[in-house]
Amino acid sequence: MSDNEIEFLERRASEELDMAQCATKTEVVAVHCRLADAYLERLAALRAASEADTISTMVKVGRKRGLQAALLVTTMLR
């Protein structure tokens, strides 16, 4: 996940919410809110995937460095 991707998704969600606040028709507000939700869901999925990759990497490093590093990862997951 790149910083550009994060910035884009955050910006688009914010813009959609701004447009929803300016809209005067209920249907238009709903569409902008759904779009903002879609951007935020994608952002959350990217962040979750990034965290999973980080944890996976830490576990691999733990295996290489021995039990002490693996215990550190386990402690961090709690």
Side-chain angles (χ1 to χ4, degrees):
M1 164 177 51
S2 71
D3 289 341
N4 288 341
E5 222 171 346
I6 293 170
E7 290 171 11
F8 170 78
L9 293 170
E10 288 174 340
R11 180 176 37 84
R12 289 298 299 133
S14 177
E15 290 170 351
E16 290 299 336
L17 291 173
D18 289 345
M19 287 187 275
Q21 289 177 337
C22 294
T24 57
K25 294 186 177 184
T26 305
E27 301 86 8
V28 175
V29 171
V31 169
H32 287 299
C33 286
R34 281 196 301 270
L35 286 168
D37 284 343
Y39 285 116
L40 292 172
E41 286 175 12
R42 178 69 181 138
L43 182 61
L46 283 173
R47 286 181 172 156
S50 177
E51 288 175 12
D53 288 346
T54 300
I55 291 170
S56 175
T57 300
M58 291 175 73
V59 169
K60 289 176 187 174
V61 168
R63 288 183 186 140
K64 290 179 182 177
R65 292 189 179 167
L67 182 58
Q68 185 178 16
L71 289 173
L72 175 63
V73 171
T74 304
T75 303
M76 291 175 64
L77 292 174
R78 291 185 183 165

